[in-house]
């Protein structure tokens, strides 16, 4: 039996749903029940009536699934699938930052630990960060964390004076204005779509046609009639872009933009995860209780 068939069979036996992020390996995306960005997958996890949720993504996504749907067994097939951006702020650092700004509203990107989310007023993803910040009364001070590039982008879009935590995603931060300039010179006339975590997203906004979440980029890819599009994000997304629109050529601005965490999970890991029911992701009930309020605001926006 092929590995894929084995996974399909185990998935039924375990009453499991397989969720995969847009940066996962192509073969995992092809096998998943749902593929999407962080917001879409959070909603799918929350709505799931299956006993088991296998999360082909990174740890903070699996934790979010557990918080939003606590009665399910949530599995992360490889515990090395972390996130450097989520590691950029600890709960102790956040508490100290809040103490410096008493009364400030805390907006935490979904790329954070459950403990950090528990200290936040709102969570957001790249697809609704602007909308979330626009909900906050104008007279309130805002702490935005942990991605300074996304934060700067949101600050420019909303005109709000937010304090930004100085953290970044190493995969996206290296996509600098110079990277974009080189790529544009090699592909004259091609439109550019960029993820807001990119080091180039906010600084060279006029040169970027659209700043979008990964699902936003996929919608753009499906609809465009341009012969070529330049893509500024992790290269795993190119797999579905090519399938959704075979007549457009999608070129990464940097073919080396590969997230090592997102690539930890393999088909073998998913098979073993279903077989052994590992690795279970649990969140302490008191942390989950506090984090749920901020996450529910995120999924509702
Ligand atoms: P999206 O929500 O846009 O999929 O982003 C998640 C992520 O980790 C980007 O690096
Ligand atoms: Fe984290 Fe960056 Fe990887 Fe996204 S691409 S999971 S932010 S390290």
């Amino acid at each position: 039996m092929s590995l894929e068939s084995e996974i399909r069979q185990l998935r039924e036996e375990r009453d499991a749903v397989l969720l995969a992020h847009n940066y996962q390996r192509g073969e995992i995306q092809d096998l998943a029940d749902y593929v999407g960005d962080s917001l879409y997958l959070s909603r799918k996890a929350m709505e799931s009536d299956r006993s088991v949720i296998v999360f082909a993504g990174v740890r903070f996504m699996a934790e979010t699934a557990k918080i939003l749907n606590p009665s399910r067994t949530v599995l992360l097939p490889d515990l090395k699938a972390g996130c450097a951006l989520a590691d950029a702020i600890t709960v102790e650092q956040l508490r100290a930052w809040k103490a410096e700004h008493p009364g400030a509203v805390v907006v935490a990107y979904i790329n954070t630990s459950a403990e950090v989310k528990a200290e936040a007023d709102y969570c957001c993803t790249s697809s609704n960060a602007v909308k979330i910040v626009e909900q906050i009364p104008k007279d309130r001070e805002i702490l935005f964390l942990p991605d300074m590039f996304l934060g700067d982008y949101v600050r420019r879009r909303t005109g709000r004076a937010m304090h930004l935590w100085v953290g970044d995603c190493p995969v996206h931060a290296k996509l600098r204005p110079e990277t974009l300039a080189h790529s544009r010179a090699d592909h004259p006339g091609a439109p550019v779509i960029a993820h807001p975590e990119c080091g180039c997203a906010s600084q060279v906004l006029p040169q970027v046609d659209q700043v979008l979440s990964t699902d936003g980029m996929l919608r753009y890819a499906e609809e465009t009639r341009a012969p070529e599009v330049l893509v500024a994000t992790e290269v795993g997304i190119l797999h579905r872009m090519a399938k959704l629109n075979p007549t457009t050529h999608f070129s990464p601005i940097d073919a080396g933009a590969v997230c090592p965490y997102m690539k930890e999970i393999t088909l073998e890991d998913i098979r073993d995860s279903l077989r052994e029911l590992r690795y279970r992701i649990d969140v302490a009930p008191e942390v989950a209780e506090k984090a749920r309020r901020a996450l529910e605001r995120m999924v509702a926006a």
Side-chain angles (χ1 to χ4, degrees), residues 15 27 31 35 64 133 144 250 276 296:
D15 186 33
E27 63 272 23
L31 198 62
V35 186
T64 298
V133 168
F144 188 95
F250 298 96
E276 317 285 337
E296 282 174 352

Side-chain angles (χ1 to χ4, degrees), residues 22-238:
N22 292 321
Y23 297 159
Q24 287 289 294
R25 297 168 187 273
E27 63 272 23
I28 294 177
Q29 296 190 30
D30 291 345
L31 198 62
D33 295 293
Y34 300 102
V35 186
D37 68 4
S38 319
L39 186 59
Y40 175 80
L41 295 176
S42 299
R43 289 183 175 141
K44 286 293 165 202
M46 190 171 76
E47 291 161 7
S48 180
D49 56 4
R50 298 293 182 115
S51 315
V52 176
I53 298 170
V54 181
F55 219 118
V58 292
R59 190 184 179 101
F60 72 79
M61 295 179 181
E63 279 183 353
T64 298
K66 184 68 189 175
I67 296 166
L68 290 172
N69 204 342
S71 63
R72 311 295 169 204
T73 298
V74 177
L75 304 176
L76 182 66
D78 188 324
L79 289 176
K80 292 192 293 305
C83 168
L85 178 56
D87 292 341
I89 187 164
T90 63
V91 68
E92 292 79 16
Q93 286 172 315
L94 176 53
R95 287 191 188 121
W97 201 28
K98 283 171 73 171
E100 286 168 26
H101 300 274
V105 176
V106 176
V107 182
Y109 192 29
I110 187 170
N111 299 45
T112 44
S113 67
E115 288 75 15
V116 165
K117 287 183 177 78
E119 290 287 330
D121 298 292
Y122 294 83
C123 285
C124 69
T125 74
S126 58
S127 68
N128 66 7
V130 169
K131 216 168 163 186
I132 292 277
V133 168
E134 280 171 347
Q135 288 178 10
I136 300 168
K138 294 231 167 6
D139 58 338
R140 298 295 299 277
E141 194 178 11
I142 300 174
L143 305 182
F144 188 95
L145 62 104
D147 191 276
M148 60 179 171
F149 293 114
L150 172 65
D152 190 38
Y153 169 70
V154 174
R155 196 155 65 174
R156 286 170 200 243
R157 282 282 309 274
T158 60
R160 297 294 297 270
M162 308 189 298
H163 301 280
L164 307 183
W165 187 258
V166 185
D168 63 26
C169 156
V171 181
H172 285 89
K174 71 171 190 166
L175 303 179
R176 306 286 309 160
E178 315 78 81
T179 327
L180 179 58
H182 282 130
S183 192
R184 287 184 80 102
D186 291 344
H187 305 268
V192 181
I193 54 175
H195 194 276
E197 285 174 22
C198 288
C200 60
S202 56
Q203 293 171 36
V204 288
L205 263 185
Q207 289 183 45
V208 173
D209 296 84
Q210 301 259 358
V211 177
L212 298 162
S213 76
T214 56
D215 269 5
M217 289 174 140
L218 286 160
R219 280 192 291 275
Y220 179 98
E222 198 171 9
E223 285 162 16
T224 186
R225 293 291 161 261
E228 186 176 23
V229 173
L230 295 178
V231 180
T233 193
E234 209 272 352
V235 297
I237 200 166
L238 300 168

